[in-house]
Amino acid sequence: MTEATDTKKRILDVGEQLFLKGGYDSFSYRHISSALGIKNAAVHYHYPSKAELGAAVIRRARRRFARWREEVEARGDDAVQKLEALFGIFRNFLQAGTVCFGGALAINFPALPPEMQREAQDLNGDFLAWTEAVLREGRREGRFTFPGDPKDQAVVVLACIQGLLQIARETDPSHFDAAVTQLMRSMKA
Amino acid sequence: MTEATDTKKRILDVGEQLFLKGGYDSFSYRHISSALGIKNAAVHYHYPSKAELGAAVIRRARRRFARWREEVEARGDDAVQKLEALFGIFRNFLQAGTVCFGGALAINFPALPPEMQREAQDLNGDFLAWTEAVLREGRREGRFTFPGDPKDQAVVVLACIQGLLQIARETDPSHFDAAVTQLMRSMKA
DNA sequence: GTCTATAGCGGGATAGAC
DNA sequence: GTCTATCCCGCTATAGAC
């Protein structure tokens, strides 16, 4: 990996962290450049506009989630373990002091650059589809016992952990694990 | 109500809408003043700093929720009806094209003015305490059958509808009612 | 690929007239 | 209570040297 692409990757790293900590409106080229010890013109060289940088951050998150799914699949986890692995992703956000992509994108979604809106919708689709498949598989194998359509239940599960991250951030972080346990129990009882 | 306090109220109205649509970073004194046909110095007269305006918006939401609780109590609703009334509050946000206070406050919570952070925590406390009481009452009367502590279940319920509003905003609004129905069914089954 | 320098705009906030 | 005028700052983005 050359020095050039290394800077490009670092910009994405810092940009992602700032985005997840405060949303699209909260960070600037100066925040990123000063964190990397460079000047803001250098950031513009790699990502000419903020819209492109924002879209690139979401696009990378989608690729990362795709690789993550392959790893989980390769482990041969059952549906319960898979869902717990999903909760682990969100627990990492909590420990990093951020919200998740969905939460960071939702606040001013209609005002975001169109290419970011598209990436955000695709990322949501990825998470919803995977969760639905896991819930369906788990119920078929008798590991989950929830009523209704797995598609609707997937929305409930993802909405819950997304909201949990935010409530935990505003009040008490311990709410997260307590409520995740509660959610899991309600599907296995 | 004098003209003066009327302007003050209108500032709060516009400020609240802009805040719920895009978060604290998304709006300015100019947005508010131009929406009201006045100048930004006039807004500063009523709310000298943006932090005070933001705190006042949250404070009014707390008072509104307190009045709402009294109305619901006066109607003599049962626990199921009460929870459905709560969902109605959030459905109104969806129809207004906004997220809820919790979602708007979470994104950059650590960077918010301290007085806003305090009001936000109090507002969260109000919602959590009321929801917990309703869930406890409903289970005692046999209207709900969920496992575990009503306190944890209240966090699950509020996190879910908060997240739902955001997912509905990013993808398909119809997700909201479908998932709310699913959530309700999982507690009554 | 990174720099200096700067354009052009919008942000929060204030002074002082009316 | 609202106005005009202004300050100072930070933002995205670009031009051109190195």
Side-chain angles (χ1 to χ4, degrees):
Chain A
M1 184 172 284
T2 72
E3 299 242 340
T5 59
D6 194 48
T7 294
K8 190 160 187 172
K9 178 187 175 300
R10 275 200 278 253
I11 291 169
L12 228 43
D13 290 339
V14 174
E16 177 178 295
Q17 282 308 302
L18 294 174
F19 171 70
L20 291 174
K21 276 186 176 140
Y24 187 71
D25 288 340
S26 76
F27 70 92
S28 71
Y29 275 76
R30 281 191 161 77
H31 289 133
I32 294 175
S33 60
S34 74
L36 296 178
I38 58 180
K39 299 297 172 181
N40 77 6
V43 180
H44 276 283
Y45 171 80
H46 293 285
Y47 293 98
S49 78
K50 195 178 174 184
E52 294 176 59
L53 171 56
V57 165
I58 316 298
R59 208 175 303 123
R60 188 175 69 163
R62 287 193 70 201
R63 289 197 302 270
R64 189 190 294 143
F65 183 55
R67 284 198 307 275
W68 179 89
R69 289 195 302 263
E70 289 173 13
E71 286 171 21
V72 170
E73 212 55 52
R75 280 207 301 266
D77 287 359
D78 66 33
V80 172
Q81 291 170 318
K82 283 179 184 169
L83 217 51
E84 272 161 4
L86 178 71
F87 296 152
I89 293 180
F90 285 74
R91 191 175 290 106
N92 286 342
F93 285 130
L94 181 67
Q95 284 166 359
T98 73
V99 294
C100 66
F101 284 94
L105 288 160
I107 176 63
N108 56 347
F109 186 78
L112 290 176
E115 57 263 51
M116 283 192 72
Q117 294 188 15
R118 281 189 294 271
E119 297 289 344
Q121 285 167 339
D122 290 342
L123 183 61
N124 256 299
D126 292 347
F127 270 93
L128 285 168
W130 183 84
T131 306
E132 177 190 344
V134 169
L135 289 171
R136 178 169 277 122
E137 170 198 336
R139 191 166 65 174
R140 179 165 31 82
E141 296 175 346
R143 291 191 167 88
F144 295 131
T145 60
F146 56 86
D149 190 337
K151 198 177 205 87
D152 295 329
Q153 184 67 17
V155 180
V156 167
V157 168
L158 284 171
C160 188
I161 51 180
Q162 181 164 316
L164 268 178
L165 217 48
Q166 301 174 7
I167 292 178
R169 187 175 217 209
E170 291 171 352
T171 58
D172 183 352
S174 74
H175 276 153
F176 185 83
D177 281 324
V180 162
T181 302
Q182 178 74 7
L183 173 66
M184 202 58 156
R185 183 161 39 186
S186 75
M187 289 192 294
K188 290 200 287 190
Chain B
M1 184 174 281
T2 72
E3 300 244 340
T5 59
D6 194 49
T7 294
K8 191 161 186 171
K9 179 188 174 299
R10 274 201 276 255
I11 291 170
L12 228 42
D13 290 339
V14 174
E16 176 177 295
Q17 281 309 301
L18 294 174
F19 171 70
L20 291 174
K21 275 186 177 141
Y24 187 71
D25 288 341
S26 77
F27 69 92
S28 71
Y29 275 76
R30 282 190 163 78
H31 290 133
I32 294 176
S33 60
S34 74
L36 296 177
I38 57 179
K39 300 296 173 182
N40 77 5
V43 180
H44 276 284
Y45 170 80
H46 294 285
Y47 295 98
S49 77
K50 194 177 174 184
E52 294 176 62
L53 171 56
V57 166
I58 316 298
R59 207 175 305 122
R60 188 176 68 162
R62 286 194 69 202
R63 290 197 301 271
R64 189 190 295 144
F65 182 55
R67 283 198 307 275
W68 179 89
R69 290 195 302 263
E70 288 172 16
E71 287 170 23
V72 170
E73 212 56 50
R75 280 206 301 265
D77 287 359
D78 66 32
V80 172
Q81 291 170 317
K82 283 180 185 170
L83 216 52
E84 271 162 4
L86 178 72
F87 296 153
I89 294 179
F90 285 73
R91 190 174 292 109
N92 286 342
F93 285 130
L94 181 66
Q95 283 165 359
T98 73
V99 294
C100 66
F101 283 94
L105 288 159
I107 177 63
N108 56 347
F109 186 79
L112 290 176
E115 58 264 50
M116 283 192 72
Q117 294 187 16
R118 281 191 293 273
E119 296 289 345
Q121 286 168 338
D122 289 343
L123 183 61
N124 256 299
D126 292 346
F127 271 93
L128 285 169
W130 183 83
T131 305
E132 178 190 344
V134 169
L135 289 172
R136 177 168 278 121
E137 171 198 335
R139 191 165 66 175
R140 179 165 31 81
E141 295 176 349
R143 291 192 167 88
F144 294 133
T145 61
F146 57 86
D149 189 337
K151 199 180 204 86
D152 295 329
Q153 185 67 17
V155 180
V156 167
V157 168
L158 285 170
C160 189
I161 49 180
Q162 181 164 317
L164 268 179
L165 217 49
Q166 301 174 7
I167 292 178
R169 187 176 217 209
E170 291 170 352
T171 58
D172 182 354
S174 73
H175 276 152
F176 185 83
D177 281 324
V180 162
T181 302
Q182 177 75 7
L183 173 66
M184 203 58 156
R185 184 161 39 184
S186 75
M187 289 191 293
K188 290 200 285 188

